[in-house]
Amino acid sequence: MGAQLAKWGLPEEVRDDAVLLISELATNGVCHTPSARLLCGVGLVTDRSLRIEVHDHDYTGGDLTRCVPCVDDESGRGLFIVQAIAETWGVERSALTGGKAVWAILSTGC
């Protein structure tokens, strides 16, 4: 993914943030849904915004549960990272999989 982001002329810091965001969203999909496969997408929505999406096959209709990790916990901070880096993020029903689509918008700084 980093190579494609470089082809789009995005600054290295933006590329690094995008890779981190998709990693965190995909990890949540793997760890917290019954999905055997995920669909990940990244695209420029304007010359100033990048949209990152991870679609799962979780048909339960549940929303993302927010957790408050303890200092010694080894996980549980993924959505805090997403919230800190992204301009905005959210969850909606995926038109592609019928499960959830978790998305984040990242400013390109351009």
Side-chain angles (χ1 to χ4, degrees):
M1 180 176 82
Q4 181 60 51
L5 297 174
K7 285 182 186 177
W8 290 343
L10 297 176
E12 185 176 1
E13 181 179 313
V14 173
R15 296 191 312 255
D16 291 346
D17 285 349
V19 169
L20 178 59
L21 285 174
I22 201 151
S23 173
E24 291 298 335
L25 295 179
T27 298
N28 279 350
V30 168
C31 293
H32 302 292
T33 74
S35 302
R37 292 187 298 186
L38 299 173
L39 175 63
C40 301
V42 178
L44 288 168
V45 289
T46 69
D47 61 345
R48 302 184 62 78
S49 300
L50 188 68
R51 183 175 173 105
I52 297 164
E53 299 179 354
V54 173
H55 299 252
D56 64 35
H57 292 84
D58 184 359
Y59 308 118
T60 63
D63 202 359
L64 294 181
T65 57
R66 313 247 182 212
C67 69
V68 180
C70 295
V71 174
D72 294 333
D73 289 347
E74 293 182 9
S75 64
R77 294 171 182 79
L79 292 179
F80 290 120
I81 293 170
V82 171
Q83 185 172 345
I85 294 173
E87 293 291 317
T88 187
W89 69 279
V91 182
E92 56 196 37
R93 183 65 43 208
S94 171
L96 300 173
T97 66
K100 288 191 303 288
V102 184
W103 55 268
I105 302 293
L106 182 63
S107 174
T108 62
C110 298

